[in-house]
């Protein structure tokens, strides 16, 4: 088997996490796939995969080689498509990750429209409220709502959001509106924490930061439940501004303590390989960036 063929087999085994599923994907026999990987590792001189009876995992060298294989194979596909005059017909898979609620509200609709424009492109999503390793998960594009550390990733800022405190108009009418963060101590709050442990609420910035730990009858680990509780009149919730856009527009929630909010949090679209990324990835990044920058709830 030639080198490109070996690369394609390796990519299939890595993505399918097994020799048998890779064989089915490639219409090859499992022994032929096993021989191809063994010959590839022998030629390179290092182990690329950890094999167990249940699963196949990449070694550190294998993870680096996988990224290079995908880039090389993608460039070959694009060169062939360009030579054939069909460069505009994007094809291949895109892996996308984003926070759960953000993905549902903004990324998924943009992805649906992109796929409708490019029928030969497929996609898979990983919507989770945690930072994932894009290389380990085989992902191409991520939305990050955070101040980003320096890294080799390419990041494009598309907006920002605020961390806000909100409650229903009925609750505010019955209990009153707080004028300072300390006022929350005498009111009902809904504690929202991804870890399931109570967290401090921070207000202000710089030397004027004020931290409070308001008492709470309800502790939840998802933003949508915290928002539903606030709409139901259970007290004050602290969430990101985009998450309550529909409730604000419908008058089901109101923001309080706006003068005490911490600085906005930036939103970035992140991708792995900069301008060397596959054309389909660059096209989706451009599409997503334009879409997100047009969203009113993502600009403070």
């Amino acid at each position: 088997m030639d080198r490109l063929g070996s690369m394609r087999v390796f990519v299939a085994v890595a993505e399918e996490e097994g020799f048998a599923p890779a064989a089915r994907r490639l219409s090859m026999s499992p022994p032929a796939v096993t021989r191809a990987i063994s010959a590839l590792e022998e030629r390179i001189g290092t182990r690329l995969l950890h094999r167990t009876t249940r699963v196949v995992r990449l070694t550190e060298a294998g993870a680096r080689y996988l990224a290079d294989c995908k880039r090389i194979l993608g460039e070959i596909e694009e060169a062939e498509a360009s030579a054939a005059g069909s460069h505009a017909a994007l094809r291949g898979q895109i892996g996308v990750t984003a926070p759960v609620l953000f993905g549902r509200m903004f990324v998924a609709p943009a992805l649906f429209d992109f796929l409708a424009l490019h029928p030969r492109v497929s996609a898979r999503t990983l919507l989770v409220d945690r930072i994932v390793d894009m290389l380990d998960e085989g992902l191409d594009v991520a939305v990050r709502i955070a101040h980003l550390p320096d890294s080799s990733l390419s990041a494009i800022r598309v907006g920002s959001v605020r961390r806000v405190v909100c409650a229903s108009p009925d609750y505010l009418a019955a209990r009153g509106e707080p004028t300072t963060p300390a006022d929350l101590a005498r009111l009902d709050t809904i504690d929202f924490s991804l870890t399931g442990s109570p967290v401090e609420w921070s207000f202000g910035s710089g030397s004027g930061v004020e931290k409070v730990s308001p008492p709470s009858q309800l502790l939840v680990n998802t933003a949508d439940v915290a928002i539903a509780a606030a709409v139901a009149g259970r007290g004050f919730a602290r969430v990101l501004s985009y998450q309550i856009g529909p409730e604000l527009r419908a008058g089901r929630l109101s923001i309080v303590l706006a003068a005490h909010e911490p600085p906005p949090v930036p939103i970035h679209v992140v991708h792995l390989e900069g301008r060397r990324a596959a054309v389909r990835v660059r096209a989706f990044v451009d599409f997503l960036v334009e879409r997100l920058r047009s969203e009113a709830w993502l600009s403070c």
Side-chain angles (χ1 to χ4, degrees):
M1 182 176 292
D2 62 23
R3 291 192 175 185
L4 291 180
S6 297
M7 285 183 175
R8 292 188 177 96
V9 172
F10 173 69
V11 170
V13 172
E15 290 182 343
E16 299 293 339
E17 297 185 350
F19 291 91
R24 289 192 293 270
R25 169 171 153 180
L26 298 169
S27 299
M28 296 173 62
S29 69
V33 170
T34 301
R35 287 194 298 272
I37 295 299
S38 296
L40 178 62
E41 290 179 325
E42 184 176 352
R43 184 173 70 242
I44 294 175
T46 189
R47 184 172 291 277
L48 301 173
L49 299 165
H50 290 301
R51 304 157 174 82
T52 70
T53 56
R54 298 182 59 187
V55 72
V56 172
R57 294 279 187 239
L58 290 166
T59 64
E60 185 176 346
R64 293 193 300 268
Y65 187 63
L66 177 62
D68 288 337
C69 284
K70 286 184 173 182
R71 174 178 54 81
I72 292 167
L73 293 173
E75 289 174 353
I76 290 172
E77 286 183 5
E78 290 160 21
E80 291 174 346
S82 180
S86 59
H87 189 66
L90 304 180
R91 66 187 70 194
Q93 187 182 80
I94 301 171
V96 185
T97 183
V100 176
L101 195 51
F102 191 97
R104 189 185 310 156
M105 293 175 66
F106 302 111
V107 176
L111 185 59
F112 300 158
D113 290 344
F114 184 81
L115 294 179
L117 292 172
H118 304 286
R120 294 187 179 183
V121 175
S122 62
R124 67 182 183 92
T125 64
L126 180 62
L127 303 183
V128 289
D129 289 323
R130 59 180 174 84
I131 300 296
V132 301
D133 188 300
M134 296 174 65
L135 184 60
D136 284 351
E137 299 287 350
L139 298 165
D140 303 294
V141 182
V143 174
R144 300 272 167 84
I145 305 175
H147 296 279
L148 299 181
D150 292 335
S151 74
S152 60
L153 301 176
S154 297
I156 304 170
R157 182 163 176 162
V158 295
S160 59
V161 291
R162 294 147 45 214
R163 198 171 295 280
V164 300
V165 177
C166 61
S168 71
D170 289 345
Y171 182 89
L172 293 174
R175 298 295 305 275
E177 181 175 333
T179 57
T180 69
D183 292 340
L184 293 170
R186 61 176 176 79
L187 298 165
D188 303 304
T189 60
I190 302 138
D191 209 348
F192 163 40
S193 167
L194 295 176
T195 64
S197 300
V199 296
E200 289 184 319
W201 293 14
S202 297
F203 297 88
S205 62
S207 60
V209 170
E210 180 178 358
K211 295 184 178 182
V212 298
S213 299
S216 175
Q217 185 185 21
L218 179 63
L219 172 63
V220 302
N221 71 330
T222 63
D224 52 353
V225 175
I227 293 166
V231 170
R234 299 306 309 163
F236 294 90
R238 190 165 187 257
V239 294
L240 294 175
S241 53
Y242 80 85
Q243 296 172 331
I244 56 170
E247 285 72 23
L248 292 174
R249 186 166 48 240
R252 293 189 291 267
L253 289 175
S254 299
I255 291 175
V256 301
L257 298 174
H260 299 272
E261 291 172 3
V265 182
I267 308 168
H268 292 90
V269 173
V270 175
H271 56 111
L272 280 174
E273 299 181 40
R275 301 313 298 177
R276 293 189 305 159
V279 170
R280 63 183 178 276
V281 174
R282 297 203 303 267
F284 177 67
V285 167
D286 292 342
F287 187 89
L288 183 61
V289 165
E290 182 178 1
R291 178 68 66 87
L292 295 181
R293 284 177 172 170
S294 71
E295 295 285 353
W297 296 111
L298 304 183
S299 57
C300 296

